[in-house]
Each structure stands twice: as structure tokens, then as C-alpha cells.
Amino acid sequence: MANRSVLTGRLVADPELRHTQQESVPVASFRIAVPRRFKKDTADFIDIVAWRKEAEFVSQYFTKGKWIEVDGSIQSRTYTDKEGKNRTAVEVVADSLSFVGDKPKDEASPAPNPPAPPPIGAPAGFDPFANAAPPPSGSRSGQMAPTYSSASPDDFADADDDGDLPF
């Protein structure tokens, strides 16, 4: 059985970083708004708890409105509120947190990656997409797929078959 939850959403407020009293372990609490897939302008608000390094990470690098991906497990706990009533809290305990989306435009971006070298043995000026056909209409990928020519039986050499093939 698995208790895994992967959520992507925006922080509703800045994370709140605290430390446990006895061992001073960092713990951060925050809430994210996770948009519903098929209902526009509707979101679920999920409480998240992060411990130790993840708590420090989220409190240092994330603020209200930033996109975040949370990978963790769903846990419930009971507690007594200020009025003496028993309550149940359901929250995701984060195992890992990740940035989602583009960098803000004001941050410096590194130089773009250099083009990949051609395959070993490729002739000078080799372009793997030179004969590529355009993607079909409605294709999700913006990359072009290479086209391949038809092979004839004359393109392949016969293998020696002395009856001792390994398969």
C-alpha cells in the first residue's frame, strides 16, 4: 500500500518557520492552492508541513504566490482546540519540495546550453533534423521527428550461420 501525494500549486501565504522546543528541529507550515483540473477558477487549499532541511528550504526560497511542487504523504492528527473541542487536521507531510515554472525575469539567467556534438562517426556538418518532417497537426511536441528512408534487403549483409548462434 502506498500513501503518496504529489501536488502542484501556489503558496497562499509565506511559509511559517518554527523550531520544536526540545530539540530545536525546524518545521515549516504553509498552505497551497491546487487548481482543479476541470473546473476553471476553482482550487483546493491543502495544508503542508515540512521538517528539517525541507522546512529551511521552503522558508528561504518560497513566498506567497510562488508555484511549488510538494511530494509527500497524507497524515491526519487529532488535537484539542482552545475551546476544548477535539479537532482533526489532515495535512501533507512533505518529503521533497521543488520549484515549478520559469525564473522571474529579474533573476540573471545562465548562458544557454551549447549545441550537442554530432554522433560519433557522423560526417562534418551533420544535422540530425535536416530531413525531418514537420510534426502532424495537433501534435503536442514542438520538436520535429526525423524521417527515415525505406530499407531494401540489399542494404544488409548476410550473417554467417554455422548453426552456433547464441540464441
Side-chain angles (χ1 to χ4, degrees):
M1 303 216 183
N3 178 0
R4 300 292 329 144
S5 179
V6 178
L7 302 167
T8 302
R10 288 187 185 270
L11 271 76
V12 175
D14 290 347
E16 179 184 334
L17 180 66
R18 300 179 313 277
H19 291 82
T20 60
Q21 290 180 354
Q22 292 183 356
E23 297 179 23
S24 192
V25 176
V27 58
S29 303
F30 56 99
R31 180 176 286 173
I32 62 173
V34 179
R36 291 206 179 161
R37 189 172 179 182
F38 297 107
K39 288 190 174 186
K40 192 173 183 176
D41 299 327
T42 305
D44 292 308
F45 294 87
I46 312 293
D47 292 322
I48 312 291
V49 176
W51 291 86
R52 296 175 180 80
K53 296 276 187 193
E54 296 297 328
E56 293 170 344
F57 173 73
V58 73
S59 64
Q60 182 176 358
Y61 294 106
F62 289 89
T63 56
K64 177 181 178 179
K66 295 251 180 141
W67 281 98
I68 189 170
E69 180 178 281
V70 178
D71 184 357
S73 58
I74 299 172
Q75 293 186 6
S76 62
R77 60 183 172 86
T78 57
Y79 66 97
T80 305
D81 67 9
K82 294 177 184 178
E83 298 172 1
K85 295 182 181 179
N86 289 337
R87 301 281 183 178
T88 300
V90 177
E91 55 204 8
V92 173
V93 177
D95 293 327
S96 68
L97 304 167
S98 304
F99 293 102
V100 178
D102 296 332
K103 286 185 181 180
K105 294 184 192 236
D106 59 342
E107 289 186 24
S109 60
N113 292 334
I120 295 174
F126 175 76
D127 181 3
F129 298 108
N131 295 325
S137 62
S139 171
R140 292 183 182 181
S141 172
Q143 295 181 338
M144 297 174 56
T147 57
Y148 300 97
S149 63
S150 301
S152 72
D154 297 333
D155 292 339
F156 300 95
D158 288 333
D160 292 332
D161 182 11
D162 58 359
D164 192 22
L165 293 176
F167 49 88

